[in-house]
Amino acid sequence: MSELIAYIAPQNVLPALSDCLLILNSNSTHLHVQQAEDESAIQRHYVLQMPVQRLVFPPVNCHWLIAALSNDPHQSALPKLGSLVVTAVGLCTNHLDLARALDIALAASLSDLVAALLQRHLHDGATLADAIIRTNAQLKGDVSYVCHQKGQTQFMFASCMGRPLFVGLESGLRQICCSNLRLIRQRANQVYAMATGDIVRFGLGVPSLILPDGSEQALHMPAVNKSQNIPHYMLEEIEAQPETLAILVQKYSAGYSLPLPLRGKLAGIRRLTLLACGSSYHAALVASYWFETLAGIPVQVGLSSEYVDRDIHADPYDLIVAISQSGETADTIAALQHVQNLSSARTVALTNSPGSTLTTLVDHTLLTHSGAEQSVSATKSLTAQLLMLYVLAFSLGEARGKLSKDELAAVQQEMLTLPTAVAETLQLGKDIRRWAGMLHRKKNLFVIGRNTHYPVAMEGAFKLREVAYQHAAAFPAGELKHGPITLVNDELPVIVCLPWNQQAQKMLDDLKSVRANRGEIFILSNGNIASVDGTSVIRMPNGLTNLSPIIYTVALQMLAYYCAVLSGNDIDAPRNLAKTKTVELA
Ligand code: BG6
């Protein structure tokens, strides 16, 4: 995934860029920089050494720059320098139509396209702020960009309509805009997280928000809490979830919805297939319940590596959703191609990686916008997948007439409370660490749940195997009595996802057999259940119904993380595993 970094300051900003590269420690090797050099603007291309080293830049006076860090070796992403300097990231769904209308090459890069649109409005007499407002009205899809107009040495603009951008104040009067949450947290003292639709002017004065009528409003920039030293990417990515989810919540609750070409097709869909591997597969399983309940549609979930060997019966009324954080997982690509070879079903890629292989194979792309994920274990990308699948489920429910207006409003309203509920779940870290102290030496564990919380249990067990190297098995609680109960004894702890809902009483009944066999019980629940001898309870936040699986997932992520820490494991790169690396061309 490419990263975007822009700097503006009264002093030379190249050393600050070098610091950013060290912090990002990315596996991307190409750095394209558009920068001020004395009084002119120039482009430079650097090929980075791995592991990332401090870069030594030429001794020039560079007081602004816009840099793109990616795996794209070609300098196609940046426009020829005219009066505008633009770097854009994301996916524009009407790229070809706009390129034709502008009479530029159809293969023009996204940055070229945005620059050409802006130039046209500037040519018609618009200010740069107005040109951005007009350009954004023409762009469809998820496009974020930073631009700078030559001659305007005091400021630049950031526009966020896709990939999240953050604007921050650093020491030394430097102002930064970047796409990476970890970077901005480490570099800046005060940060504004741009919401979808935001246009921000930043530079040598107070940063401001450009309102739809072109007027400006000073930005409120909360201080960054620097007291926490976060030791692993996995923990950092777990803790980023209130922010990554808030970005999606804002995007899908403020009048924005799914891309029009996909929305237009939803009413005609009769059956859904979700394809994925690993954690993405668990997201698909959770979502399958939402699709049945909220959209009233038959749904099947395929594990990609198995799906490729099955006989497929799909037709144009089927919607196939391939889910992959990286968009590069070979099994999921193969499963998608398998169904494409045998049918003309509509296809969607749900991914965190714009420009990934999966996105090039499908009719529609949905992006999860959770930022680059460094740890092999999927955490923030997984909860973002869940939320996007929820949005797809209620959008299908709306299109198919399954949800009344009031029901739709209620399911959308629940999204608004999610980031706070996730933040409250993170506050349980101390209790979960205590559990990890009791559990990390156990060779075998069960994780159980019912309904949507059964796949959550599967994900929890998966994480315990993946990072804590413990043999954890997940079961639907009602299945314990059909076999697994033979293994329960005082050496086998049972972790229980027990949201206080229609299944709660049945869950309590299931637990009686565990206690009868001296199994130690660890319950996550928002119910009023007391800890007693042999049963330890952590009280989960209240208020979620459909979206409750997300907070239980977060709690189990923390449990696996702390068990792994106590066992001294390599948290971010567990043995024998590798994260699929992504190549973004946009
Ligand atoms: C595996 C990882 O290799 O790939 C899992 O260990 C991940 O953590 C799985 O969930 C699927 O990856 P993706 O990118 O297709 O979601």
Side-chain angles (χ1 to χ4, degrees), residues 390-518:
Y390 182 70
V391 171
L392 184 58
F394 71 65
S395 303
L396 253 173
E398 181 186 18
R400 290 164 52 82
K402 168 78 170 91
L403 292 176
S404 69
K405 242 183 167 174
D406 287 350
E407 286 167 335
L408 181 66
V411 294
Q412 288 176 327
Q413 181 65 27
E414 191 180 340
M415 287 200 304
L416 300 178
T417 60
L418 179 67
T420 306
V422 173
E424 286 168 10
T425 307
L426 294 176
Q427 300 296 318
L428 301 173
K430 205 166 144 217
D431 294 329
I432 291 176
R433 257 201 316 266
R434 187 171 49 80
W435 273 15
M438 296 185 263
L439 293 172
H440 75 280
R441 287 207 181 86
K442 301 288 181 187
K443 292 240 169 334
N444 299 294
L445 304 104
F446 279 4
V447 191
I448 63 170
R450 273 181 181 259
N451 199 258
T452 48
H453 291 69
Y454 165 47
V456 169
M458 291 172 76
E459 170 61 14
F462 179 88
K463 281 277 176 295
L464 284 163
R465 295 192 297 271
E466 196 179 39
V467 284
Y469 308 157
Q470 289 175 275
H471 179 244
F475 297 101
E479 280 297 295
L480 279 183
K481 58 182 173 296
H482 296 302
I485 195 69
T486 58
L487 298 173
V488 174
N489 58 33
D490 56 1
E491 268 307 297
L492 190 133
V494 180
I495 301 161
V496 186
C497 300
L498 205 168
W500 209 245
N501 58 20
Q502 305 90 297
Q503 288 90 34
Q505 190 51 53
K506 285 196 265 184
M507 288 288 294
L508 292 174
D509 292 343
D510 299 326
L511 293 181
K512 285 179 190 157
S513 60
V514 176
R515 270 323 284 155
N517 289 286
R518 290 174 293 114

Side-chain angles (χ1 to χ4, degrees), residues 164-181:
L165 294 178
F166 306 91
V167 177
L169 305 183
E170 291 189 5
S171 46
L173 297 181
R174 274 191 305 267
Q175 295 194 7
I176 178 175
C177 174
C178 71
S179 53
N180 188 284
L181 183 59

Side-chain angles (χ1 to χ4, degrees), residues 275-282 302-305 323 329 331-332 462:
L275 301 175
C277 302
S279 294
S280 301
Y281 173 67
H282 303 138
L303 201 47
S304 305
S305 55
I323 307 165
T329 298
D331 284 334
T332 300
F462 179 88

Side-chain angles (χ1 to χ4, degrees), residues 12-338:
N12 184 11
V13 289
L14 289 171
L17 176 63
S18 185
D19 292 344
C20 290
L21 298 176
L22 292 176
I23 293 170
L24 284 174
N25 191 23
S26 153
N27 66 333
S28 298
T29 45
H30 295 274
L31 177 70
H32 299 294
V33 190
Q34 305 191 82
Q35 64 186 69
E37 213 160 291
D38 299 318
E39 287 316 306
S40 46
I42 66 150
Q43 292 182 357
R44 285 188 187 277
H45 174 207
Y46 300 88
V47 179
L48 305 182
Q49 302 297 315
M50 292 293 136
V52 179
Q53 315 280 319
R54 178 168 290 285
L55 268 188
V56 180
F57 293 102
V60 290
N61 180 20
C62 171
H63 52 87
W64 65 259
L65 62 83
I66 308 177
L69 177 65
S70 76
N71 273 320
D72 182 2
H74 309 295
Q75 185 45 342
S76 58
L78 304 179
K80 306 278 166 293
L81 291 174
S83 70
L84 271 180
V85 173
V86 180
T87 297
V89 288
L91 202 71
C92 175
T93 52
N94 58 340
H95 191 123
L96 293 182
D97 294 344
L98 289 172
R100 274 190 207 101
L102 289 161
D103 200 19
I104 61 171
L106 296 186
S109 72
L110 184 60
S111 301
D112 269 322
L113 183 79
V114 174
L117 286 165
L118 291 168
Q119 287 283 14
R120 185 160 285 200
H121 296 304
L122 289 173
H123 187 73
D124 291 344
T127 62
L128 183 51
D130 284 337
I132 294 170
I133 294 170
R134 292 183 204 175
T135 294
N136 291 357
Q138 293 171 283
L139 289 168
K140 290 190 183 140
D142 297 298
V143 182
S144 293
Y145 60 94
V146 176
C147 62
H148 176 76
Q149 194 171 18
K150 277 192 267 171
Q152 300 283 9
T153 52
Q154 306 285 310
F155 54 82
M156 49 176 98
F157 287 90
S159 166
C160 171
M161 294 203 304
R163 182 88 186 269
L165 294 178
F166 306 91
V167 177
L169 305 183
E170 291 189 5
S171 46
L173 297 181
R174 274 191 305 267
Q175 295 194 7
I176 178 175
C177 174
C178 71
S179 53
N180 188 284
L181 183 59
R182 184 166 52 86
L183 179 65
I184 195 85
R185 272 182 166 184
Q186 292 203 21
R187 293 293 301 174
N189 304 317
Q190 288 172 264
V191 170
Y192 175 74
M194 291 178 68
T196 303
D198 276 358
I199 301 168
V200 167
R201 191 176 95 139
F202 63 103
L204 302 189
V206 179
S208 56
L209 196 62
I210 308 296
L211 302 178
D213 63 1
S215 61
E216 294 185 27
Q217 174 187 303
L219 275 191
H220 169 61
M221 304 191 69
V224 178
N225 178 2
K226 301 248 185 205
S227 60
Q228 284 172 303
N229 180 17
I230 301 182
H232 301 107
Y233 285 118
M234 184 176 175
L235 182 59
E236 188 178 299
E237 288 158 1
I238 289 173
E239 296 197 340
Q241 291 175 108
E243 283 151 276
T244 51
L245 291 168
I247 286 160
L248 281 183
V249 168
Q250 196 281 336
K251 184 172 167 68
Y252 289 102
S253 60
Y256 288 82
S257 76
L258 298 178
L260 199 55
L262 173 58
R263 230 180 327 143
K265 296 286 178 283
L266 294 182
I269 299 299
R270 295 190 195 147
R271 194 171 45 178
L272 196 68
T273 298
L274 310 174
L275 301 175
C277 302
S279 294
S280 301
Y281 173 67
H282 303 138
L285 288 173
V286 172
S288 65
Y289 293 81
W290 293 332
F291 284 110
E292 284 167 358
T293 310
L294 303 178
I297 192 163
V299 53
Q300 57 169 339
V301 182
L303 201 47
S304 305
S305 55
E306 285 293 312
Y307 195 77
V308 284
D309 294 319
R310 289 176 63 169
D311 286 335
I312 307 303
H313 306 282
D315 60 38
Y317 302 105
D318 277 78
L319 185 69
I320 313 292
V321 184
I323 307 165
S324 169
Q325 181 281 132
S326 59
E328 300 292 347
T329 298
D331 284 334
T332 300
I333 291 171
L336 175 72
Q337 288 171 329
H338 180 55

